[in-house]
Amino acid sequence: MECVEEECNCGSGCQNQRFQRKQYASVSVIETEKKGFGLRTDSDLNPHDFIYEYVGEVINENQFRRRMIQYDEEGIKHFYFMSLSKGEFVDATRKGNLGRFCNHSCKPNCYVDKWIVGDKLRMGIFAGRRIKAGEELVFNYNVDRYGADPQPCYCGELNCTGYIGGKTQTERATKLSPQTIEALGIDDGDGWDAAVPRRPKKKKQAEDDEEYVNNVEPKALDEKGVTTVMATLVQCKEKWIFVKLLGRIQRCDDERVLNRVVKMHGYQILNPALTTWKEDYNVVLQILDILNKFPRITRNKITDSKIDETVKTLTTCGDEKVQTTATALLKEWSTLEVGYRIPRKKRDENSTSTPDRLDHFQRRESNRDEEKERRKSRSPEPPKGPAAPTGPRNNIPQRNPGYRPAFRPPRPFQHPLPSGWFIAYANGKTYYYNGNGQTTWVRPTMPAYQPPQPKPMSSDQRLQEIIDSITKNTTPKEKAAAAVPQQPANSEAKKEKKKEGHEKWRSLSEEKKKKLYENTVRRRGKSPRDQREKKKKGKN
């Protein structure tokens, strides 16, 4: 099951959208000796690598029958029908892609798997083992792809049956896909005898798969097998296989495994199954028993899947045992509390901006912001430099910005920065800058380039510079006015005042002049009379 962009918070970092993004392997079409065209890989492949999607027209069973006859009458020797689901087929005869050139082999190195993408079922070709570059890509047509009549097989393997499809090969191999065999807990298709039988028995040629599976004791379900079981339940259309898979879950009492089943969309997968098999009360009771075994902490998953509404309809189905079990289950669910969840941010369909991928880290980021505020109050703010440099810090792929390691080892001791370099911070990251405006993520090891400083000017040079600036910025009239020394504005008033004082002094009488003179001298020191009296006293 692939993630859908509307429901996935990983954004462009999601690694579960291979079909939607067409992340095909590098392949090329080749011409073989007997099998016509084939498909070859141009690079090494690991097990379960996605190679190509099998694309074609989706038709129903009636169209499938008519086209087989039509293509036979037209002389088309090669058929490209693949079974998609019960009553649906993919016809890649006239409309398809490079996946149609993948040939058949009785010992294949690839397999075909069904994936749910949104609300559609899609077919993909995957690597079954490690495949080296230049090797031809082949898978088994017996279950997934077949023609109207048996065709000779030219795969050249030791276990070759001689024909592709038809009665001969169908009798010699199981019709179940490898994924279904693994989900049923009876090993792979080549290991039927390696399963744990109730009594020693080998699969007969004409024996039905259901009859054989009923006589084999499946393995106990573990955590690793839950993913395969839940994926097969989604795709399963045959009732007997569905019941067998439910039986594996029902017999499991390990709480860790049941938790894994709930996590792998257990409620969402079992909800449509109750509607599909509602007329078979044995299957309904089997599903209700599994729901009763699920660990219950909150009511969130039950409400989201709307399985409680489906179980509510079973309380009036008419079967007494089903009604009693459904009523008891609903009563237990009603006692559960709804756990608090951070609401998902709604996206604007018309907006072209990148959605916030850190929405599910909201609570953790708020705690970090509070911690940063506390640190700022205790320590001074680091110096702010120019804008941080753009681009990656190094060639190593950058981590998800929402990722924060639980433990960060202490940083080793670093020597002081070279002269001319300074440290700054941007969004929790450290960068370095110098006085020339240069910034870098890498810690510098050499001093920053500093332009030569101009020599200091002497006092004569400064004076000459001031004179030049004045002479250059003045007009000829201003220069002439500056050459003439200007006297203070109040000089004439002072002269007049001094002249008036002389005239007034001359007009006074002699006694008045003497009196003024004595008062002036007394203020500055002793009068002449006092000095004469002091001399007389000294002589006596």
Side-chain angles (χ1 to χ4, degrees), residues 167-213:
K167 185 177 180 180
T168 307
Q169 191 175 12
T170 305
E171 287 182 352
R172 293 188 182 182
T174 174
K175 296 179 181 179
L176 301 177
S177 65
Q179 181 184 355
T180 305
I181 294 170
E182 184 181 354
L184 290 171
I186 52 177
D187 290 341
D188 52 22
D190 297 330
W192 286 86
D193 300 335
V196 183
R198 291 175 183 168
R199 60 182 183 273
K201 179 180 179 181
K202 291 185 179 180
K203 184 177 185 297
K204 297 178 181 178
Q205 290 185 354
E207 185 179 12
D208 186 66
D209 286 328
E210 182 178 0
E211 183 181 352
Y212 179 77
V213 172

Side-chain angles (χ1 to χ4, degrees), residues 88-132:
E88 288 185 335
F89 300 85
V90 178
D91 181 10
T93 306
R94 289 196 170 101
K95 295 181 180 180
N97 60 1
L98 295 183
R100 70 196 292 273
F101 293 105
C102 198
N103 283 318
H104 163 81
S105 176
C106 296
K107 190 179 179 181
N109 56 13
C110 302
Y111 66 93
V112 176
D113 203 3
K114 300 177 184 179
W115 277 67
I116 295 177
V117 182
D119 56 350
K120 295 182 179 180
L121 193 64
R122 297 166 75 164
M123 311 288 290
I125 302 173
F126 296 83
R129 57 172 174 82
R130 182 170 179 79
I131 306 174
K132 295 182 179 180

Side-chain angles (χ1 to χ4, degrees), residues 1-2 19 83-88 111-117 120-124 126 143-144 177-181 183 227-239 241-242 245 269-270 272-273 276-277:
M1 182 182 295
E2 277 202 357
F19 280 82
S83 174
L84 182 63
S85 62
K86 189 175 182 180
E88 288 185 335
Y111 66 93
V112 176
D113 203 3
K114 300 177 184 179
W115 277 67
I116 295 177
V117 182
K120 295 182 179 180
L121 193 64
R122 297 166 75 164
M123 311 288 290
F126 296 83
V143 176
D144 303 291
S177 65
Q179 181 184 355
T180 305
I181 294 170
T227 305
T228 308
V229 170
M230 302 309 289
T232 309
L233 279 174
V234 174
Q235 304 174 11
C236 182
K237 301 297 181 182
E238 297 185 39
K239 185 177 179 180
I241 298 178
F242 195 88
L245 296 174
I269 294 174
L270 294 179
T276 305
W277 314 109

Side-chain angles (χ1 to χ4, degrees), residues 21-284:
R21 298 177 181 175
K22 298 182 180 180
Q23 295 176 348
Y24 303 145
S26 177
V27 297
S28 56
V29 179
I30 59 173
E31 189 170 2
T32 62
E33 184 178 354
K34 296 181 179 180
K35 297 180 289 185
F37 290 104
L39 202 63
R40 179 184 64 192
T41 176
D42 297 330
S43 59
D44 293 343
L45 299 174
N46 295 319
H48 310 296
D49 278 357
F50 180 49
I51 299 175
Y52 237 80
E53 182 180 3
Y54 196 91
V55 176
E57 294 180 87
V58 179
I59 58 178
N60 56 30
E61 191 168 355
N62 294 332
Q63 291 174 315
F64 165 66
R65 301 294 176 188
R66 288 197 299 268
R67 288 194 182 188
M68 280 201 304
I69 299 172
Q70 177 188 347
Y71 292 158
D72 188 40
E73 292 174 352
E74 292 177 3
I76 298 176
K77 298 180 180 181
H78 301 284
F79 296 89
Y80 300 91
F81 294 106
M82 183 177 287
S83 174
L84 182 63
S85 62
K86 189 175 182 180
E88 288 185 335
F89 300 85
V90 178
D91 181 10
T93 306
R94 289 196 170 101
K95 295 181 180 180
N97 60 1
L98 295 183
R100 70 196 292 273
F101 293 105
C102 198
N103 283 318
H104 163 81
S105 176
C106 296
K107 190 179 179 181
N109 56 13
C110 302
Y111 66 93
V112 176
D113 203 3
K114 300 177 184 179
W115 277 67
I116 295 177
V117 182
D119 56 350
K120 295 182 179 180
L121 193 64
R122 297 166 75 164
M123 311 288 290
I125 302 173
F126 296 83
R129 57 172 174 82
R130 182 170 179 79
I131 306 174
K132 295 182 179 180
E135 194 173 345
E136 186 182 0
L137 302 172
V138 289
F139 65 91
N140 195 326
Y141 288 3
N142 182 64
V143 176
D144 303 291
R145 180 176 168 181
Y146 46 87
D149 297 316
Q151 298 179 9
C153 179
Y154 301 108
C155 67
E157 300 292 341
L158 297 175
N159 61 336
C160 181
T161 59
Y163 294 94
I164 302 174
K167 185 177 180 180
T168 307
Q169 191 175 12
T170 305
E171 287 182 352
R172 293 188 182 182
T174 174
K175 296 179 181 179
L176 301 177
S177 65
Q179 181 184 355
T180 305
I181 294 170
E182 184 181 354
L184 290 171
I186 52 177
D187 290 341
D188 52 22
D190 297 330
W192 286 86
D193 300 335
V196 183
R198 291 175 183 168
R199 60 182 183 273
K201 179 180 179 181
K202 291 185 179 180
K203 184 177 185 297
K204 297 178 181 178
Q205 290 185 354
E207 185 179 12
D208 186 66
D209 286 328
E210 182 178 0
E211 183 181 352
Y212 179 77
V213 172
N214 289 334
N215 289 286
V216 175
E217 185 69 29
K219 295 179 180 179
L221 183 62
D222 55 7
E223 288 186 77
K224 294 181 180 180
V226 170
T227 305
T228 308
V229 170
M230 302 309 289
T232 309
L233 279 174
V234 174
Q235 304 174 11
C236 182
K237 301 297 181 182
E238 297 185 39
K239 185 177 179 180
W240 72 271
I241 298 178
F242 195 88
V243 171
K244 289 291 180 184
L245 296 174
L246 291 178
R248 290 195 73 190
I249 303 174
Q250 192 177 11
R251 288 190 298 271
C252 179
D253 294 323
D254 191 345
E255 189 175 352
R256 292 178 301 176
V257 177
L258 294 175
N259 272 321
R260 179 70 177 168
V261 173
V262 175
K263 189 176 180 180
M264 296 299 297
H265 314 287
Y267 288 109
Q268 289 90 333
I269 294 174
L270 294 179
N271 185 23
L274 283 174
T275 307
T276 305
W277 314 109
K278 61 182 179 181
E279 296 179 357
D280 192 334
Y281 295 139
N282 291 327
V283 179
V284 172

